[in-house]
Amino acid sequence: MRDIERTEALSWKVESEARRADNREKSAVILADRGIQFETKNMGAHLIVSHDGKVADFWPGTGKYIPRGGGRPGRGVFNLLKHLGVKP
């Protein structure tokens, strides 16, 4: 790999890591501000979110969530809130 290609690849990696870290922080704040219960795993990379008897695994860095007990996986903290039945 040439130096210019390596530099471009590294800058994308740094930007991607920074964006995921920012998503982790902001998503946790959004959940906490709305009074949603969650358990933090793996230093905030994985959250177990529960509300009104529903539970979902949530990865705030990428925005992916998977409902426990069935249901369609999705992306985004606001879509997760909607899935959990949280009023806007």
Side-chain angles (χ1 to χ4, degrees):
M1 183 185 291
R2 295 184 342 210
D3 287 338
I4 188 74
E5 292 169 339
R6 185 172 303 148
T7 301
E8 288 174 351
L10 290 176
S11 68
W12 280 106
K13 182 179 178 185
V14 170
E15 179 183 336
S16 178
E17 289 173 354
R19 184 177 60 251
R20 287 193 312 269
D22 189 51
N23 287 348
R24 280 191 291 273
E25 291 176 23
K26 288 181 179 178
S27 292
V29 169
I30 289 168
L31 293 172
D33 286 350
R34 286 168 173 74
I36 306 301
Q37 301 263 330
F38 62 90
E39 182 180 348
T40 303
K41 301 285 186 178
N42 198 15
M43 298 185 306
H46 175 208
L47 305 178
I48 300 171
V49 183
S50 59
H51 177 74
D52 200 25
K54 296 181 181 179
V55 179
D57 291 290
F58 179 52
W59 292 269
T62 61
K64 183 174 183 175
Y65 67 87
I66 300 175
R68 289 191 179 178
R72 186 177 198 158
R75 288 200 182 269
V77 67
F78 294 109
N79 287 331
L80 171 62
L81 291 172
K82 190 184 307 182
H83 172 79
L84 294 173
V86 176
K87 304 288 185 211

